[in-house]
Amino acid sequence: MNGTNRVGVVGCGLMGSGIAEICARKGLDVVVAVSSARSEERGRRRVDRSLERAVSKGGITPAERDEALGRISYTTDLGGLSGGQFVIEAITEDESAKLDLFSRLDKAVENPDAVFTTNTSSLPVMKLARVMSRPEQVVGTHFFSPVPAMPLVEVTRSLLTSAESAERVETFLTTTLGKDVVRSPDRAGFVVNALLVPYLLSAMRMAESGFASPEDIDRGMTQGCAHPVGPLRLSDLIGLDTLEAVAGGLYAEFKEPLFAAPPLLSRMVEGGLLGKKSGRGFYRYD
C-alpha cells in the first residue's frame, strides 16, 4: 500500500464501511483491515448495499459503483496498511480495544509520515495518542452516520497533535472527500455529542418514567420542533450500545448527572436490544 492516493481504514462496521465507501467513490484506493473473514463478509455486504442504494437513487452510475468496489481491498494483517498516508480507525467505541489497536498500529505502519485518525465519538484523543511513539501524528476525525450522506466531520487535536498533521487531515477531508469540518477541543463528546447525548438520554428517562410513550416523544419533536427524526428513533439508528459507551465516556470526564446512562438504556443493552442493527430497540425493525 503505497502512494498519496491510498488510505487505510481499520474496521468495517457501520462507520468503517461508510468511510471506505466515500474514499473509494472519490478515486482513492482503500485497504480495509478487519478482524476476521466474517467481519470482511459483513463489511462487503454493507458497502455493496450502500452503493446499490446510491445507484437506485441516481447518485452514481452502475459503472461508478463497480469502479468504487474495485478500489476496496480487505486484509486481516495490519501490516497491509503500511505505506498509506492516512490510517483511519473506525472500530467499536471501546477504550481498551482502541488503545490496543493504536499500540499495534504504531508497530505495523512503517511509513514515518503516516497520520493516524480516530473516529471516536467520546474518548479523548490524547489517551489514544499516548500509546504511540508518534503522538503528534494522531488526530480525531469524528464522522457521522450514514457517512456517505452526512456532510460533517469533527476534527480534534490533542495537546500533542502537530499543526502539520491537523492541517493535512483537514485538507484531506475538505478537498479530497468534500466534507465540512468543525473543530473541537479534545474533550469527551466534542461538540455534537456533548449537546446531543444529554437530549437523547432525557428522552429515554421520559419514556422510562412513563411520562410519555416513545411514539409520542418522537412525534412531539418531529412535528412540534421540526426535527427530521425523533430522539428515540435516532437512538435506535445510532445504536444503543454505542450511546451507552458515549454516555459513559462523557460521565467519566465531567461527572455531570445529565450524562449518566439511565437504567433503561443499560438493561436494553444487556438484553441485546441495540436498536435497528439488532432488529429491536425502542422500536421493532424487520
Side-chain angles (χ1 to χ4, degrees):
M1 178 177 170
N2 297 293
T4 57
N5 65 331
R6 300 196 178 191
V7 174
V9 177
V10 186
C12 204
L14 185 63
M15 301 303 294
S17 62
I19 294 168
E21 177 189 336
I22 63 169
C23 289
R25 285 173 61 172
K26 293 297 183 179
L28 301 172
D29 294 326
V30 186
V31 177
V32 181
V34 295
S35 59
S36 65
R38 184 182 178 191
S39 295
E40 177 183 338
E41 180 185 354
R42 289 185 296 197
R44 285 183 184 273
R45 286 202 302 267
R46 287 190 184 95
V47 175
D48 288 347
R49 287 197 298 265
S50 181
L51 288 170
E52 282 298 332
R53 285 195 296 270
V55 171
S56 68
K57 294 178 179 178
I60 59 174
T61 66
E64 289 170 332
R65 172 202 59 201
D66 295 341
E67 288 172 5
L69 288 171
R71 294 189 187 105
I72 303 174
S73 60
Y74 299 83
T75 181
T76 56
D77 179 13
L78 291 179
L81 306 176
S82 189
Q85 296 298 303
F86 295 97
V87 177
I88 305 170
E89 172 272 313
I91 66 170
T92 184
E93 190 71 359
D94 179 89
E95 181 176 334
S96 61
K98 287 183 187 286
L99 289 171
D100 175 68
L101 172 63
F102 271 84
S103 178
R104 290 188 290 124
L105 283 173
D106 194 34
K107 301 177 179 66
V109 178
E110 298 176 354
N111 181 4
D113 298 322
V115 174
F116 302 83
T117 81
T118 172
N119 187 53
T120 182
S121 55
S122 63
L123 298 174
V125 175
M126 178 71 83
K127 281 190 176 182
L128 305 178
R130 284 287 291 159
V131 303
M132 304 193 76
S133 62
R134 33 190 162 170
E136 71 280 1
Q137 292 165 226
V138 180
V139 183
T141 52
H142 179 212
F143 291 78
F144 292 82
S145 181
V147 177
M150 299 294 281
L152 187 69
V153 181
E154 289 180 305
V155 174
T156 302
R157 295 170 57 172
S158 80
L159 294 174
L160 300 178
T161 303
S162 69
E164 178 189 2
S165 295
E167 289 167 6
R168 285 176 60 193
V169 166
E170 287 195 23
T171 299
F172 169 70
L173 292 170
T174 57
T175 303
T176 303
L177 298 187
K179 294 292 188 181
D180 293 329
V181 163
V182 294
R183 298 170 184 166
S184 168
D186 189 17
R187 295 171 46 167
F190 313 129
V191 174
V192 173
N193 278 330
L195 293 170
L196 175 64
V197 171
Y199 160 64
L200 301 181
L201 299 180
S202 179
M204 293 178 195
R205 294 188 187 99
M206 184 174 282
E208 182 178 47
S209 70
F211 187 93
S213 69
E215 294 80 5
D216 282 347
I217 293 169
D218 282 351
R219 190 178 302 116
M221 297 310 294
T222 56
Q223 297 184 15
C225 295
H227 288 199
V229 62
L232 297 177
R233 192 169 292 280
L234 177 58
S235 297
D236 277 356
L237 294 174
I238 293 170
L240 301 187
D241 53 340
T242 299
L243 270 177
E244 184 186 44
V246 174
L250 285 162
Y251 186 76
E253 175 123 327
F254 300 109
K255 301 299 189 295
E256 293 280 357
L258 74 167
F259 292 128
L264 175 61
L265 175 60
S266 300
R267 296 297 86 76
M268 292 177 76
V269 172
E270 289 171 356
L273 309 179
L274 307 182
K276 188 173 183 180
K277 61 185 173 184
S278 70
R280 182 180 169 192
F282 288 97
Y283 298 90
R284 291 182 179 271
Y285 303 86
D286 293 332

